[in-house]
Amino acid sequence: MDAVTTQRYIALLDLDAFYASVEVLEEPSLDGKPLLIGGSPQSRGVVAAASYEARKFGCHSAMPMSRAVRLCPEAIVLPPRFHLYREYSGRVMDILQRESGVVQQMSIDEAYVDLTPVSSDMQDAVNRAHRMQGRIRVDLGLPCSVGVASNKMVAKVACETGKPGGFVVVEPGTESAFLADLDVRSLPGIGPRSTERLKSHGYLVLGQIASAPSEALVTILGPWGAALKQRARGEDPSPVHPERETKSVSAEETFAADVSVRETLVEELRRMGDRVARSLEKHGLVGRTVTLKLRLADFTTITRSTSRENATAHADAILADALHLLDTNWDPGTSVRLIGVGVSNLRPIQVPGQLALELSDGQREN
């Protein structure tokens, strides 16, 4: 048991060519074409993002758009739609939150997920990370890369080595060996100037830094040199810091084949209600609002909510609300592709939840 509590399982998820991937989702005819997202090449615009097809020509973010267009004349230039990217990013983060409540979003397209609280061992964590990557691909249509390791830094490097679309696992105890043959520039925090200094002294790969005398590294880089040696050995104790409070707890399931039988839907709601209740209990939370989500065979999505006077985390109460919403918003015999249930309007547990129901039209959304 002690070994389990001291071992950490951290995943780093990075959406591949995120802005370009979203644009392709919105307009499938762009698939496979070189895309440049950013300002106009006729002005002083810069590249905010480039698809992998455009990167083959040497285009990259922060490059002047005029230069990028010269490198890749056939590129399609699109203005950024940040509101759209934020919307997709929010959906991704919701998926990560459903797998673990300990998520640290680093940017619009990248986040660390601490799977330690919900995983029994590394294989369990890997399975959960695979599930996150699969749900983002299947439910949202977005490609992403994942690195799984015992700490944030190694997970980050693992993710980078697998791009695009990769899934790289660094088993506990193999961190130093995994890093050893990588270029010194691969380590987060080593910029171009530090890379130049290290290489000028013969330090080309991380294994050389890991075995170097600390005094030599301090001479080259100053006090940071000693910390760099530890990082090159794969050591990073920094925690995953959740940057937003849990606003909802939910679960959903996409069926392998469309379902039109009420009993099957009810059984799935029962299973998910139990899962949501366990998650609420684990986090010490109760909620007032239960939400039902249905995606029909034609991809129409129905979302309906009901609120109660007294917050609850009880599985039976969650199921009762979900069944009420199902019976009032689903036409019997209609084929369902996806079903989900969630609880929001959360607060810390103070008193046990009660079963009083109060339907609030204000909480409903289409």
Side-chain angles (χ1 to χ4, degrees), residues 12 45 164 180 216 218 234 245 260 264 338 341 361:
L12 187 279
V218 170
E245 62 179 323
S260 58
T264 304
L338 173 150
V341 64
D361 291 335

Side-chain angles (χ1 to χ4, degrees), residues 125-194:
V126 168
N127 292 342
R128 292 174 183 275
H130 267 301
R131 188 159 59 224
M132 290 188 298
Q133 186 185 46
R135 289 192 62 192
I136 291 168
R137 162 59 80 178
V138 174
D139 293 357
L140 303 182
L142 291 171
C144 64
S145 298
V146 177
V148 184
S150 61
N151 62 61
K152 291 168 65 176
M153 181 201 65
V154 178
K156 169 72 171 176
V157 177
C159 182
E160 290 296 324
T161 62
K163 279 185 157 292
F167 191 99
V168 179
V169 179
V170 181
E171 294 287 345
T174 69
E175 296 86 356
S176 182
F178 168 74
L179 297 172
D181 294 330
L182 298 181
D183 188 281
V184 295
R185 185 70 178 86
S186 303
L187 201 67
I190 300 183
R193 186 172 299 179
S194 296

Side-chain angles (χ1 to χ4, degrees), residues 80 96 184 216 237 277 282 287 301:
L96 304 188
V184 295
K282 181 183 69 176
T301 300

Side-chain angles (χ1 to χ4, degrees), residues 217-279:
L217 297 176
V218 170
T219 299
I220 299 170
L221 298 177
W224 189 61
L228 177 61
K229 178 182 174 73
Q230 291 182 309
R231 292 172 68 82
R233 293 168 58 182
E235 301 173 10
D236 175 25
S238 61
V240 175
H241 291 291
E243 295 186 343
R244 66 174 186 176
E245 62 179 323
T246 302
K247 295 182 179 179
S248 65
V249 175
S250 61
E252 60 183 45
E253 181 67 32
T254 300
F255 297 116
D258 294 344
V259 172
S260 58
V261 178
R262 183 181 185 277
E263 289 75 12
T264 304
L265 298 176
V266 170
E267 184 57 35
E268 192 61 40
L269 285 175
R270 188 185 310 279
R271 187 186 67 80
M272 290 188 293
D274 288 343
R275 178 179 168 188
V276 169
R278 288 195 301 269
S279 183

